Amino acid sequence: MSVTINSHQLGRLIARTVDHIGDDLIPALYGIRLDADTEYLYAVATDRFTIAAARYRHHEPDSENTAPAVPFARTIPATALPALREWLRTMPGHDPVTVTPADGRLRFTAPTGELAITIDPDAEFADWRGLLRGVTEQTPTTGEPVFPALGTRLQARWKSADGVVRVRATGDHQPVLVVGEEFLGAQMPTRTRRDGFSTDTDTLATLDDVRTAWQDSLSTGPAITPQTALPTPPQARDEASKAISEVVEDLLKQVLHSTQHLTAADTSEAIAAHATAGVTAWTAYRYLDALHTADPHFAATVVAETAGQLDDGAISEWAWDAARAAGHDPQQWHDALQESQTRKQTAA
């Protein structure tokens, strides 16, 4: 009984669900449930008011290269999670980690070491599959418009679910469905406001109540959409893009422009320059697309950091330091380039 996943993906499964762990008053919910089947490894946590399940496909159904994992389900105690997360941070993200339940422990084995966590192999956990299936199959209530009351403290727990999530509310007293990339969750509506009063007696319990209460404040202007009401600040032409969507657009535009210029170039130097620009832009796009698929949050961080480095204007220094850190000799590259340029000038 074991499953293998790289350390980055295992850490991400934990990060996406850790905020939903229950407190120690209910031991069965005081941790993250690792649940493996023959195709996915799931991380699940619930505090009874929210439930979150993230998954990672560790085995393709039609793959013939490796044998599928034997299903298992174990709960990692909340008290052991800091040690596990710190252990994962000490290794490269691509390192494989094999998770094996045995002898009252959950063993995490990597090329550089092993971590064993004591667990209760018989610990019960909520039927998370049944709970989330029930939420996905909810039918909308009839009558009044759906206007559930949601605790804002609980809403903050979805910050690590995904960069963007979809939500579905089907009734005032039914759980709200939260959907992200390889992520499924739900939040229960609340019946009590933060001040202790029941929402059933709230004067703003319906949309009509809200319109009535705000009518005098909002009636001085026409109803318009935010897209037309709120201006978008222009991006300076000399600033690098900080949003993934903008970077993707810039890279693909560069590929198409370079291809167009390539066919119209009249010198070998121009042809080489346009070809290099197009190939580099396409390569960067494919890498960014793969990174965004693996971890949208990390991709956004890398794009923002890269924009800062480009705006700094010292990318040659950044590249020099990166080359040395990777074990290369940038001085040798520099000398070889100068020698090549000198030969060309001499030949001319």
Side-chain angles (χ1 to χ4, degrees), residues 101-288:
D103 302 325
R105 288 178 172 82
L106 201 56
R107 297 186 181 277
F108 301 86
T109 307
T112 57
E114 182 179 88
L115 178 69
I117 294 176
T118 301
I119 61 169
D120 179 1
D122 299 320
E124 297 292 334
F125 193 77
D127 181 7
W128 64 271
R129 286 181 171 85
L131 287 170
L132 290 175
R133 178 178 178 178
V135 178
T136 60
E137 295 179 355
Q138 286 174 172
T139 56
T141 57
T142 58
E144 294 292 328
V146 177
F147 198 46
L150 298 178
T152 53
R153 179 178 60 83
L154 298 179
Q155 285 181 281
R157 301 184 181 184
W158 304 107
K159 64 182 184 297
S160 298
D162 209 342
V164 176
V165 295
R166 291 185 178 275
V167 296
R168 179 177 185 253
T170 55
D172 285 3
H173 302 296
Q174 291 183 340
V176 174
L177 182 67
V178 180
V179 182
E181 185 71 23
E182 300 294 355
F183 181 92
L184 203 59
Q187 178 174 335
M188 290 294 297
T190 182
R191 296 172 180 265
T192 305
R193 295 204 315 245
R194 188 174 182 180
D195 56 15
F197 290 98
S198 170
T199 56
D200 293 337
T201 60
D202 192 344
T203 57
L204 302 182
T206 68
L207 286 174
D208 287 339
D209 292 338
V210 175
R211 295 191 185 99
T212 300
W214 283 83
Q215 180 62 34
D216 293 341
S217 299
L218 305 180
S219 62
T220 57
I224 55 178
T225 61
Q227 288 83 353
T228 59
L230 303 176
T232 301
Q235 177 179 307
R237 291 183 178 272
D238 58 349
E239 282 189 3
S241 300
K242 295 180 175 61
I244 290 180
S245 59
E246 294 176 356
V247 174
V248 167
E249 180 181 3
D250 290 344
L251 290 174
L252 295 179
K253 188 185 299 182
Q254 179 63 52
V255 173
L256 296 179
H257 285 180
S258 297
T259 303
Q260 183 177 354
H261 293 317
L262 179 65
T263 59
D266 54 1
T267 66
S268 59
E269 289 81 4
I271 292 175
H274 292 310
T276 299
V279 169
T280 302
W282 179 250
T283 302
Y285 163 72
R286 290 302 308 272
Y287 289 162
L288 177 58

Side-chain angles (χ1 to χ4, degrees), residues 49-71:
F49 306 103
T50 66
I51 181 171
R55 69 181 185 181
Y56 174 76
R57 187 193 296 272
H58 62 81
H59 183 80
E60 295 292 341
D62 56 353
S63 174
E64 297 179 356
N65 297 327
T66 58
V70 177

